[in-house]
Amino acid sequence: IEAMIKDGPNTREKVTQIALALNCRSRALVDPDEYRKIFNDVNYVQPSIYVPVVETALHYDIVTPLRGFFEPNKIATRSESFAMIMSATCLYNRVPWEEVWQPRLYNEAFVLGITDRTWENFDRNGNVSTEDLLSIVRRVINKASVTGGCGQ
């Protein structure tokens, strides 16, 4: 996972792949018959390699259907990265249609010790740096190993 993090920009697609690699419920990709096909910017007619990743992440509530767009090449924000990675390890229960989710995410990350930043300097909408992404993954793995992750 560390090599994946250090390879190229931290796009939403890449962070989703990292979250799926940490997914403690299942590592199997969702069958194409189970695709929900709700993202307007995902080509389901001529699927790319990220379609199974997006649909699997959607299936496990690692990504939200709220916006209707996935934007795979957009740089992931810190909040998106925390949400996807914590959701994959059952440290954050994403509410798929929750519009104001960042304060709850931050509180859970802070209480669990996954971030030590205050709300004021959490920089929730800032792009996630490689250093931040490595830190998030390491802290989530450590906490999930203590709590049992999805096997609690």
Side-chain angles (χ1 to χ4, degrees):
I1 290 177
E2 193 167 313
M4 184 188 298
I5 293 171
K6 292 180 179 180
D7 183 35
N10 299 319
T11 62
R12 290 175 51 90
E13 177 186 359
K14 178 171 131 181
V15 175
T16 303
Q17 289 176 340
I18 292 166
L20 284 178
L22 297 171
N23 188 9
C24 55
R25 288 163 288 209
S26 173
R27 297 252 165 80
L29 295 174
V30 171
D31 187 88
D33 293 337
E34 296 181 48
Y35 288 177
R36 291 169 53 189
K37 301 180 182 179
I38 63 167
F39 293 113
N40 297 324
D41 62 336
V42 173
N43 185 344
Y44 292 100
V45 177
Q46 296 178 333
S48 72
I49 58 170
Y50 71 81
V51 171
V53 170
V54 172
E55 287 292 330
T56 300
L58 183 62
H59 178 80
Y60 289 108
D61 293 323
I62 293 170
V63 297
T64 178
L66 185 61
R67 296 179 316 138
F69 292 92
F70 179 65
E71 300 177 297
N73 297 318
K74 179 183 172 204
I75 301 298
T77 67
R78 287 177 46 78
S79 288
E80 290 169 335
S81 301
F82 271 88
M84 286 189 261
I85 293 166
M86 289 174 65
S87 293
T89 55
C90 299
L91 295 176
Y92 172 67
N93 293 317
R94 183 183 289 279
V95 179
W97 299 103
E98 181 178 36
E99 291 190 38
V100 183
W101 54 275
Q102 290 175 328
R104 188 171 64 83
L105 166 72
Y106 166 78
N107 286 334
E108 290 184 36
F110 188 80
V111 167
L112 291 169
I114 297 169
T115 186
D116 52 9
R117 292 186 183 198
T118 64
W119 175 248
E120 290 75 28
N121 70 5
F122 185 61
D123 194 19
R124 60 193 177 272
N125 295 319
N127 293 341
V128 67
S129 68
T130 298
E131 180 181 302
D132 282 340
L133 194 53
L134 280 166
S135 176
I136 294 165
V137 167
R138 287 178 182 143
R139 288 179 178 199
V140 165
I141 288 172
N142 287 340
K143 184 51 76 171
S145 69
V146 171
T147 65
C150 298
Q152 307 176 37

